[in-house]
Amino acid sequence: MISCHPHNRPERSLALAGPGVQGNWQHRGTTRMCSDESAFQPARFLLLVGVPVVSALLLVQCLRWHCPRWLLGACWKLDSQEEPVAHPTPLPENESSRQCAPATLPEMAAFYQELHTPTQGQTIIRQLMHKLLVFSAREVDHRGGCLMLQDMGISLLIPPGAVAVGRQERVSLILVWDLLDAPSLSRAQGLVSPVVACGPHGASFLKPCTLTFKHCAQEPSHARTYSSNTTLLDAKAWRPLGRPGAHTSRDECRIQLSHFSLYTCVLEAPAGRDARKWLQLAVFCSPLAPGQSHLQLRIYFLNNTPCALQWAVANEQPHGGRLRGPCQLFDFTGARGDQCLKLKYISEGWENVDESSCQLVPHLHIWHGKCPFRSFCFRRKAANENDDCSTLTSEIIVTMHTFQDGLETKYMEILRFQASEEESWAAPPPVSQPPPCNRLPPELFEQLQMLLEPNSITGNDWRRLASHLGLCGMKIRFLSCQRSPAAAILELFEEQNGSLQELHYLMTVMERLDCASAIQNYLSGTHSGSPAPVRGAAQENQGLELDEKL
């Protein structure tokens, strides 16, 4: 028997190493294994592996005791099954770049103060707090008043008696051009009007106020107004306002307001019925200058409302784009067909730069009122390709077809565009100026327009004024097709050099005391004067003047 180390290290090492090592030791019992390298190999292994593991466990325990709770959550949440990771909701493509820091209280106060500061009858277009807004504001007393956004088809009427005697209220009318504030719609719903806000939010009056704005639904009974009882800077909470068709006429929404908030109109067709709305197709491009090698056309697919077209005009201003020709109407259906735009003809001397002559607009971009556009870029051909190129490329003629995918054989619109270098875009051609005429004060003009615009059952509205000015039935029907018949009649009165005293007399004869009172209040505030009868000479020549105008 070979004697080992006095402390019996091999036995203790075998006990720690396990039965596998013990068997190996017994099998090799005839060999001398008392060397230091063989005796200490398992112990060294335990020291090399065990010490780092124990140290790591102690370090983790210390982190649990001393580290902040949020750090532990970030480190250990992946291993926890009780608290799954909440993935953030992905933003739409057009919203991802709009993230910004929350507004501070001073910024919010300045935002609302600017919106509610009287604008002296002017319509302001301005970007505030990352929102593109069109607004007008004024002070209103017990006599009432009206606000109108110029060229937008939007108005707000505060009737007499809505404000208590002796009080003055600041009110504002705001068109929201920020598409992010529109309602979240399903595929079956379509946006057919702008988002309009009346301020200050939550304001109430003694009598209901009337908000009017345009819509483009083909069937008014399918259009439903919505309201969001929130401020402009808060997250919107849109809710239906009455049943479909309750506040809509042929092309207009008219809402009686008990308090001020945000409003819009959504197209909701009943089950089994096709929902349709009117689009306006607007073509924009920059002037064609001599020697210009490229020209780009942009075709907008807009809701058929005045404010949608004005948005496109404002969007084109930084690029120098101008509207080319009148807009064309398009019957757009909610059948989920994408809109196709095909290039069919380019005049000689020009070529299409784009690889494809057909472009698609996603159906929901149009259906949800996102105001999309598509563009074509054209290039002059090289002069050596055609000997007569210098004469042919001084103008460009383009023809395009547009239709919904799958409906090409049923319905299609043809867009034609023509531009030449001879056109003077910077300055319009001179026209013969009419003799100067008396202009109504802008604020009074808007107030009278608002009072005369609504159709009265008795006909005592703008139509009665047209009759007093000598218009016949056919001309009155012609004016009824205008965007604002009342404004057209008042402009006609101005062109006849009518005075305020004469207009006051006409309103008194018509028994429109509200209009007469508005004129009298203005006269009392500016200069004194008694109303004079209408001039006979003006009445005698009205027939010839109106025939020439209409």
Side-chain angles (χ1 to χ4, degrees):
M1 190 72 173
I2 301 176
S3 64
C4 296
H5 198 275
H7 294 90
N8 298 322
R9 287 177 181 171
E11 289 79 0
R12 186 171 60 178
S13 300
L14 290 175
L16 293 173
V21 179
Q22 291 179 12
N24 188 35
W25 176 267
Q26 292 173 0
H27 177 70
R28 302 166 59 186
T30 59
T31 309
R32 183 179 181 85
M33 297 297 296
C34 292
S35 65
D36 293 341
E37 181 179 355
S38 301
F40 286 95
Q41 185 175 1
R44 289 179 178 179
F45 174 78
L46 291 176
L47 289 175
L48 291 174
V49 176
V51 172
V53 171
V54 173
S55 301
L57 292 175
L58 290 176
L59 179 60
V60 170
Q61 190 64 30
C62 292
L63 289 175
R64 284 180 176 272
W65 290 340
H66 299 288
C67 285
R69 189 175 300 271
W70 63 268
L71 181 58
L72 289 177
C75 296
W76 293 96
K77 188 165 288 188
L78 293 176
D79 297 332
S80 174
Q81 299 300 326
E82 298 178 357
E83 297 183 8
V85 177
H87 298 284
T89 303
L91 292 174
E93 180 180 354
N94 60 343
E95 295 184 25
S96 58
S97 62
R98 294 289 305 275
Q99 286 183 305
C100 55
T104 62
L105 289 179
E107 290 174 341
M108 295 172 62
F111 172 81
Y112 290 115
Q113 181 179 1
E114 184 160 4
L115 285 180
H116 303 322
T117 301
T119 59
Q120 310 303 324
Q122 301 297 316
T123 297
I124 308 298
I125 301 177
R126 189 166 300 165
Q127 186 165 354
L128 302 173
M129 296 292 292
H130 307 285
K131 294 181 181 292
L132 185 59
L133 306 174
V134 183
F135 60 94
S136 180
R138 61 166 294 175
E139 290 185 345
V140 179
D141 55 16
H142 67 280
R143 295 171 294 183
C146 66
L147 292 91
M148 299 187 70
L149 299 182
Q150 185 178 2
D151 298 328
M152 304 296 173
I154 303 172
S155 59
L156 175 64
L157 172 65
I158 296 91
V163 179
V165 177
R167 289 181 56 87
Q168 281 194 339
E169 299 287 348
R170 285 190 177 184
V171 295
S172 58
L173 180 60
I174 306 161
L175 166 61
V176 183
W177 270 349
D178 189 345
L179 300 179
L180 303 182
D181 287 332
S184 299
L185 304 177
S186 67
R187 288 183 174 271
Q189 296 174 308
L191 191 67
V192 292
S193 81
V195 174
V196 182
C198 301
H201 168 70
S204 58
F205 296 85
L206 301 178
K207 292 183 179 181
C209 303
T210 304
L211 173 64
T212 305
F213 53 91
K214 299 291 185 179
H215 72 81
C216 62
Q218 291 195 23
E219 184 58 50
S221 61
H222 297 169
R224 190 177 194 178
T225 54
Y226 275 67
S227 172
S228 177
N229 192 19
T230 56
T231 64
L232 275 174
L233 296 180
D234 291 337
K236 308 304 179 291
W238 293 99
R239 298 289 184 271
L241 195 65
R243 57 180 178 79
H247 304 99
T248 54
S249 60
R250 181 174 59 89
D251 64 344
E252 196 172 64
C253 295
R254 188 180 296 270
I255 309 174
Q256 299 294 321
L257 306 181
S258 58
H259 69 283
F260 284 178
S261 191
L262 280 81
Y263 305 91
T264 191
C265 187
V266 175
L267 183 59
E268 298 176 347
R273 300 285 301 275
D274 288 337
R276 313 175 79 93
K277 70 176 183 179
W278 289 110
L279 299 182
Q280 52 183 336
L281 310 178
V283 180
F284 287 82
C285 81
S286 302
L288 178 60
Q292 182 176 332
S293 60
H294 291 74
L295 183 70
Q296 187 183 53
L297 295 186
R298 291 173 292 277
I299 299 90
Y300 286 78
F301 300 83
L302 309 168
N303 281 351
N304 188 32
T305 56
C307 58
L309 180 59
Q310 294 303 318
W311 177 87
V313 172
N315 192 55
E316 285 288 325
Q317 283 181 353
H319 312 290
R322 308 280 186 87
L323 179 63
R324 295 295 295 174
C327 298
Q328 291 185 226
L329 291 181
F330 187 89
D331 180 8
F332 192 79
T333 178
R336 303 187 184 181
D338 293 340
Q339 188 76 10
C340 300
L341 182 65
K342 276 189 176 182
L343 180 63
K344 302 298 290 186
Y345 171 78
I346 314 175
S347 57
E348 190 175 356
W350 292 85
E351 60 184 356
N352 182 21
V353 176
D354 303 315
E355 296 180 357
S356 174
S357 61
C358 180
Q359 299 193 28
L360 290 179
V361 184
H363 172 266
L364 289 183
H365 288 192
I366 299 178
W367 194 238
H368 290 173
K370 301 299 183 183
C371 303
F373 71 89
R374 290 296 180 266
S375 62
F376 283 108
C377 186
F378 306 106
R379 176 177 54 203
R380 294 182 195 259
K381 291 183 179 179
N384 55 8
E385 294 184 9
N386 193 331
D387 296 335
D388 298 329
C389 183
S390 58
T391 60
L392 292 175
T393 57
S394 62
E395 80 170 351
I396 179 173
I397 302 175
V398 177
T399 301
M400 296 166 285
H401 291 179
T402 184
F403 52 89
Q404 280 190 267
D405 192 17
L407 302 176
E408 181 176 5
T409 58
K410 295 183 179 180
Y411 180 66
M412 177 180 64
E413 283 292 336
I414 301 175
L415 299 175
R416 292 185 176 89
F417 167 81
Q418 180 177 1
S420 61
E421 296 177 355
E422 288 77 14
E423 294 179 358
S424 177
W425 288 49
V431 295
S432 57
Q433 297 293 334
C437 57
N438 295 330
R439 292 295 180 188
L440 298 176
E443 186 171 328
L444 179 60
F445 185 99
E446 293 178 358
Q447 187 174 1
L448 294 176
Q449 178 184 357
M450 194 65 198
L451 294 172
L452 294 171
E453 193 76 65
N455 290 336
S456 172
I457 299 177
T458 61
N460 194 16
D461 45 46
W462 63 269
R463 294 169 293 181
R464 183 71 57 81
L465 178 59
S467 299
H468 280 284
L469 294 180
L471 283 132
C472 63
M474 183 174 63
K475 295 174 181 177
I476 293 177
R477 285 193 297 272
F478 171 80
L479 288 175
S480 66
C481 300
Q482 304 302 307
R483 180 177 300 175
S484 175
I489 290 297
L490 292 174
E491 290 173 356
L492 183 61
F493 179 81
E494 290 177 333
E495 292 178 4
Q496 296 178 3
N497 288 322
S499 65
L500 287 179
Q501 288 82 3
E502 294 169 349
L503 188 58
H504 182 278
Y505 175 79
L506 283 176
M507 294 302 168
T508 305
V509 172
M510 292 169 52
E511 298 183 355
R512 287 300 301 261
L513 301 184
D514 53 346
C515 298
S517 176
I519 299 173
Q520 185 61 46
N521 291 335
Y522 180 83
L523 291 173
S524 300
T526 56
H527 57 81
S528 59
S530 58
V534 179
R535 294 165 296 178
Q539 287 184 335
E540 293 174 358
N541 295 329
Q542 281 171 0
L544 179 60
E545 293 177 358
L546 291 174
D547 287 338
E548 294 175 351
K549 178 179 180 60
L550 299 178

